[in-house]
Amino acid sequence: MASEHMVAEAPNIWAVAQQQFDAAAEKLDLDDGLRRVLRVPQRELTVHFPVTMDDGRVEVFTGYRVQHNLSRGPAKGGIRYHQDVSLDEVRALAMWMTWKCAVVNIPYGGGKGGVIVDPKKLTLRELEGLTRRFTTEISPLIGPERDIPAPDVNTNAQTMAWIMDTFSMHHGYTIPGVVTGKPIAVGGSLGRNEATARGAVYTLRQASKELNLPLKGARVAIQGYGNAGSIAASLLHDEGSIIVAVSDSTGGIYNPKGIDPSAVSAWKREHGTVVGFPKAEGISNSALLEVDCEILIPAALENQITAANAPRIKARIVAEAANGPTTPEADDILHERGVFLIPDILCNAGGVTVSYFEWVQDMQSFFWTEDRINESLRQIMDGAFTSVLGMSKLHEVHMRTAAYMVAVSRVAEATNLRGLYP
Ligand code: NAD
């Protein structure tokens, strides 16, 4: 028998991405031909490739690289390793990258890649083999002037070092600008590791001013305790916010009096999970989204805030560190309930912004100080927030549609100015 609490089937995120684009295109009264161009990716590459496993078996994996739009510059976007990766997911993520780069006004188009794999089941050597062969298979598309990958879920600085090395081996010389999010020792940028979370916190500072809701003393719940989530927890803790709940793929922890992020990170390093942290009680990932708090930060995967749970979310601000955590139906419910949403393409754009700084530094072989990086990031994030908020007030639309309107109009202008070839 169907339970009344049964959760609706998760929507296809590619359909969601197109729906979000359609809403902005409608508001902007975009030309029909341009809508058809921007609604689909420009290039999609699917690769099936072999990897020799440690026991001598040969496994074949499937991966993708999608470039959505290149009007404003080379494609930019992460590579994800996850068992649920699909072409539709990569398409959506690539399209979101186009809008994200345009919102913060950096000279890139959108790209994304992924491999269908549960990396936790592979050894380090197998992961290296998988990464090097995947790089080889997508190498016709990538390069510093063409398409620049970066880390995403389950990939990290080490993965980027392997990609950079493989690509450089093919060319016979070191090409650091082919990927960003590299270790500092091989052309990475200071501040890149913290950039997504730091950018999100800059947008939260702006939102807190707009809503007159000080970050100091604000209660924060964070879903996902990886790069984005754990660093956001530390930075907000430093701002004086109270981190009441955090979670990872294995479950969550809750303490209304506050959780010390550095102690949780130490626990997670030792035990591989936040679960079991002694100074908090257990909480499920779905219950975490509904706890009493002022700020909710989804920092894990897509489709977490849906029509089913949006009516019960208590936060006043939802800051989307993750890509695509909220469905369009949930967007409308949150908006009607007066929840202020900082949309993903704005909130988590700090990562790609410092990736851009890394690429600029690599191309010039001249490296900036961390202070310069953080200050330049702040200026870009504050400017982007102001543009989106202004658009939202001018057209009386919620922040997601406003962010799309800012982004789509910039991409449309570039596409129009370049014209159609041939
Ligand atoms: P990560 O792999 O470092 O961390 C992901 C975290 O989410 C882990 O703690 C994992 O355990 C947790 N998680 C996975 N499935 C979960 C589930 N079902 N419920 C709760 N937690 C779950 O990845 P990341 O780089 O922090 O990326 C997180 C999100 O932020 C993604 O949506 C990614 O696209 C987005 N993002 C990341 C960056 C970046 O620079 N790292 C930039 C922009 C956007």
Side-chain angles (χ1 to χ4, degrees):
M1 203 176 78
S3 140
E4 64 179 304
H5 294 300
M6 205 165 73
V7 175
E9 199 180 319
N12 175 319
I13 67 160
W14 174 228
V16 169
Q18 289 188 313
Q19 199 178 328
Q20 291 164 338
F21 166 72
D22 290 341
E26 199 55 41
K27 285 271 174 204
L28 290 168
D29 199 16
L30 209 65
D31 166 79
D32 277 350
L34 206 49
R35 282 191 209 201
R36 281 195 282 277
V37 172
L38 298 181
R39 217 172 172 272
V40 288
Q42 180 170 338
R43 293 193 182 115
E44 303 180 344
L45 176 66
T46 300
V47 296
H48 305 285
F49 59 98
V51 179
T52 307
M53 310 306 275
D54 286 356
D55 62 5
R57 254 176 330 117
V58 172
E59 286 284 354
V60 172
F61 293 89
T62 297
Y64 309 98
R65 186 75 194 169
V66 172
Q67 298 175 345
H68 170 254
N69 184 281
L70 305 175
S71 299
R72 290 168 40 89
K76 186 85 193 79
I79 289 181
R80 175 174 294 199
Y81 289 170
H82 197 275
Q83 58 277 16
D84 297 335
V85 162
S86 66
L87 182 54
D88 271 355
E89 179 182 65
V90 180
R91 283 176 174 145
L93 292 164
M95 186 193 245
W96 285 330
M97 284 305 296
T98 303
W99 312 138
K100 192 180 301 183
C101 294
V103 164
V104 285
N105 216 355
I106 57 176
Y108 289 135
K112 204 80 179 190
V115 177
I116 305 173
V117 59
D118 180 356
K120 291 186 187 124
K121 295 195 174 139
L122 269 60
T123 64
L124 196 63
R125 203 216 57 81
E126 290 168 342
L127 268 181
E128 180 177 349
L130 177 140
T131 301
R132 288 186 182 280
R133 184 60 190 251
F134 178 59
T135 305
T136 304
E137 296 298 334
I138 64 167
S139 61
L141 287 193
I142 64 174
E145 281 92 14
R146 302 161 149 251
D147 182 350
I148 305 124
D152 191 71
V153 175
N154 292 326
T155 55
N156 55 25
Q158 176 62 76
T159 324
M160 296 307 115
W162 290 328
I163 296 177
M164 185 277 256
D165 183 69
T166 305
F167 192 81
S168 299
M169 286 297 139
H170 292 165
H171 289 78
Y173 57 96
T174 301
I175 307 177
V178 65
V179 281
T180 59
K182 296 179 295 296
I184 306 287
V186 291
S189 175
L190 294 169
R192 173 61 185 89
N193 192 44
E194 300 79 21
T196 301
R198 194 178 293 282
V201 171
Y202 289 150
T203 64
L204 271 168
R205 279 191 194 162
Q206 295 293 326
S208 88
K209 273 191 223 151
E210 174 65 18
L211 301 184
N212 206 5
L213 175 98
L215 289 184
K216 191 169 164 42
R219 293 166 302 166
V220 182
I222 303 179
Q223 185 197 50
Y225 210 69
N227 173 278
S230 70
I231 298 174
S234 301
L235 293 174
L236 284 169
H237 182 74
D238 294 348
E239 298 268 343
S241 306
I242 302 163
I243 313 301
V244 292
V246 301
S247 69
D248 61 23
S249 59
T250 57
I253 53 174
Y254 173 65
N255 182 343
K257 295 202 181 95
I259 295 168
D260 174 7
S262 58
V264 178
S265 295
W267 176 270
K268 188 169 163 76
R269 268 194 301 279
E270 195 181 334
H271 302 273
T273 166
V274 299
V275 174
F277 180 70
K279 293 177 191 154
E281 56 191 83
I283 187 172
S284 70
N285 257 304
S286 50
L288 176 139
L289 298 171
E290 298 172 22
V291 297
D292 249 328
C293 62
E294 280 72 46
I295 298 171
L296 172 64
I297 306 184
L301 298 174
E302 301 87 26
N303 289 332
Q304 299 302 305
I305 304 176
T306 64
N309 60 9
R312 295 193 298 275
I313 281 173
K314 301 190 184 65
R316 285 188 61 199
I317 302 177
V318 172
E320 295 185 326
N323 285 312
T326 311
T327 65
E329 295 73 26
D331 264 349
D332 292 340
I333 296 170
L334 293 179
H335 185 60
E336 278 159 24
R337 295 186 53 232
V339 178
F340 187 89
L341 182 123
I342 311 174
D344 47 7
I345 59 170
L346 170 64
C347 184
N348 69 37
V352 73
T353 302
V354 177
S355 273
Y356 165 57
F357 299 159
E358 178 176 335
W359 177 78
V360 168
Q361 293 170 86
D362 287 339
M363 303 295 262
Q364 300 183 339
S365 299
F366 180 78
F367 289 85
W368 305 355
T369 62
E370 189 158 1
D371 280 350
R372 177 175 175 187
I373 286 161
N374 290 342
E375 179 50 23
S376 303
L377 173 64
R378 192 193 59 72
Q379 285 174 12
I380 287 185
M381 297 305 296
D382 287 358
F385 187 94
T386 305
S387 306
V388 173
L389 186 66
M391 183 69 95
S392 148
K393 288 183 174 167
L394 184 67
H395 290 273
E396 295 177 350
V397 291
H398 56 56
M399 288 286 280
R400 182 169 337 267
T401 298
Y404 268 70
M405 289 171 73
V406 169
V408 171
S409 58
R410 286 181 181 156
V411 178
E413 185 188 6
T415 307
N416 253 337
L417 283 168
R418 290 180 62 155
L420 286 191
Y421 173 88

